Amino acid sequence: MRSVVFIAASMFLLAVLGPLLAPHDPTAINIPERLSPLNDDYWLGTDALGRDILSRLLYGARWSLGLAFAISLIGLWVGTLIGLVAALGGKLADWALMRTTDSFLAFPDLVAAVVIAGLLGAGTWSLILALSVTGWVRYARVARGIGLSLQTRGCVIQARLAGLPPGSIARWHYLPWLVPSLTVVWTSMFARAILGISALGFLGFGVQPPMPEWGTMLLDARIHLRSTPLQMVWPGLAVVVSVLAINLAGDALRDAIADDGNQGTRPHREKSRFSLPMPSPRHIRRSR
Amino acid sequence: MIKDLMGFVLRAVVVLSGTALATFVLLWHAPGDPAQAIAMARFDALLTEDVIDQVREEAGLNAGFWTAFRAWVGPLLTLDFGRSAVTGRAVWPDLLVAIRYMLPLALAGLAIGLAISLSLAIVAVKRPGGWLDRFAIAIASLGTAIPAYWLGLLLILLFAVHLAWLPAMGARTPEHVILPALTLGLGVAASLTRIIRSGILEARGQSFLPAIRRRGVSSRGIDRDHIAPHAAIPVVTVFGLELAFLLEGVVMVEVIFGRPGLGTFLVTAIHARDFPQVQAVIVLTALMFVTVNLLIDVVYRVIDPRIGARDA
């Protein structure tokens, strides 16, 4: 657990500090040194245009990890909002929103992302849009599922009786309970976003050259598979290590939450000052 | 059961029409002038405004949104996907050829994935927590983190470049399917191993098993009649997701290995902005998924009788 978090954290540190550590300009072309093997000047060699692969990897981390971070957060925000609306918004809203998530789940994410990114024209913004459009669904499902199970809780019923608007109920009585599960979903979506970005980059629909991005670097390296196979190894390795670290951290988090849940810890202290005798849920009409 | 089935079909229809509408909206509002893109693809260069206008007229791009939508959806109901905007050929025969290349790859990948994950999971649960178990979990974790395109390149490097055992690119001979199917299968295996493993472990924990065992049922009989069906339930549940994974993998793998299947078809069509072809692939994919999910819902009820009973 500790080592996994350490790896994940150091990947991020590398992404943030990349520009300081990179020995060369990632876009500086140096044709005489093209496709050079590992040496003292270029630690991981150079690509077909003589650009330093190590520097490109370090700068690329900002694209691959940074964009994935942003995309997974967009998904988290949108998905939670939609899930909560479905849980709190009544039967019709629930039905419509859940059929929408059905439609999204009934379609391979990556294929949808390829179509969207491809048709909007390759570029960073269409990449973000393409992966966000498909990235909120799982959050919404989880948020709605937990939301529905919270509906009959005492605090929620009391809050309704006290006339708290649905937005505040969602904020104070639903959100704290969603945090652990959503964090676990977030780690897996983060990992998926890294894979998605590099996949789109590899297909030529992602971050555009000369920006270094791991998937695009793989695409460049593919042509030189026979002459300089190592060039292709590095960006792939970077993807695998980051995805693995994030996934394992997510697994550890899930196990920790499962243990915690068994002890019955509550995510936050109830702020309600009311102590009404609790009516049984059957007698309460959903008030809205 | 009949009522459930009606519900599923209704849901499938809603999902399909939603997908069709979303696709059309997306294509309609895609930036750039499709007529110009099509004219470029058809005539290469030397474009005049007249040519572009003529193409726009031909491709029906002058009509309003709803007119165009109706003109597309109407024939679609009879599985007529129209004509390619670029080549002018009917979409369906070309699509069929692409599917014919995709199917062996997808099926072989699925078979390899099932074979590997089943054997790995069965070996792993012999002694839960043992080194084989931990090894299987480690392999599965690593497998889910390795993107298909990198794995494919690594396999090409090993088997086609260094060992020269197998061909890397193209789809001429049956041998050409081995490396792509292996790439796909390893990815499938990675995600299935964990599910099968935990399925078996959970099935073993059923409370009635000691009673059956004491009644003298052989351990083989228990495995066959009580463990296997129970462990199959979560596998069937994730099968829809697995299929999505398979199709995503097919797109990447076909592009890496230069196979002219559905994925290559889609990517080429997007690059050429050939809207009828893109639409056809999307609708077909959605149709495939809806059908499979429908089947899963039915199979689910067959292998787990508790589900139907609970609702009734």
Side-chain angles (χ1 to χ4, degrees), chain B residues 250-268:
Chain B
V250 162
V251 173
M252 302 304 299
V253 165
E254 279 176 355
V255 171
I256 300 163
F257 290 93
R259 286 179 65 86
L262 199 63
T264 316
F265 186 87
L266 176 69
V267 173
T268 324

Side-chain angles (χ1 to χ4, degrees), chain A residues 161-240:
Chain A
L161 286 178
L164 210 62
S168 308
I169 298 181
R171 166 69 187 83
W172 296 111
H173 297 290
Y174 281 54
L175 214 51
W177 294 94
L178 295 177
V179 169
S181 305
L182 285 181
T183 314
V184 173
V185 178
W186 173 71
T187 56
S188 79
M189 291 310 290
F190 189 11
R192 281 178 70 97
I194 296 176
L195 289 172
I197 290 170
S198 58
L200 286 178
F202 185 76
L203 291 175
F205 295 124
V207 177
Q208 291 302 298
M211 291 306 165
E213 188 272 328
W214 294 343
T216 327
M217 288 176 69
L218 266 177
L219 177 63
D220 292 342
R222 182 187 162 202
I223 315 162
H224 305 283
L225 188 63
R226 277 167 200 276
S227 55
T228 48
L230 269 182
Q231 191 195 335
M232 170 217 99
V233 171
W234 306 120
L237 207 59
V239 173
V240 171

Side-chain angles (χ1 to χ4, degrees), chain B residues 98-118:
Chain B
I99 292 172
R100 244 182 239 143
Y101 275 106
M102 180 201 74
L103 271 186
L105 171 61
L107 291 179
L110 192 61
I112 292 175
L114 273 176
I116 294 179
S117 54
L118 264 178

Side-chain angles (χ1 to χ4, degrees), chain B residues 3 49 88 105 107 128 150 172 184 189 208 224 229 241 247 265:
Chain B
K3 204 178 156 195
E49 281 300 312
L105 171 61
L107 291 179
W150 195 52
R172 268 175 294 120
L184 206 54
F208 56 81
R224 190 189 58 219
L241 292 177
L247 206 84
F265 186 87

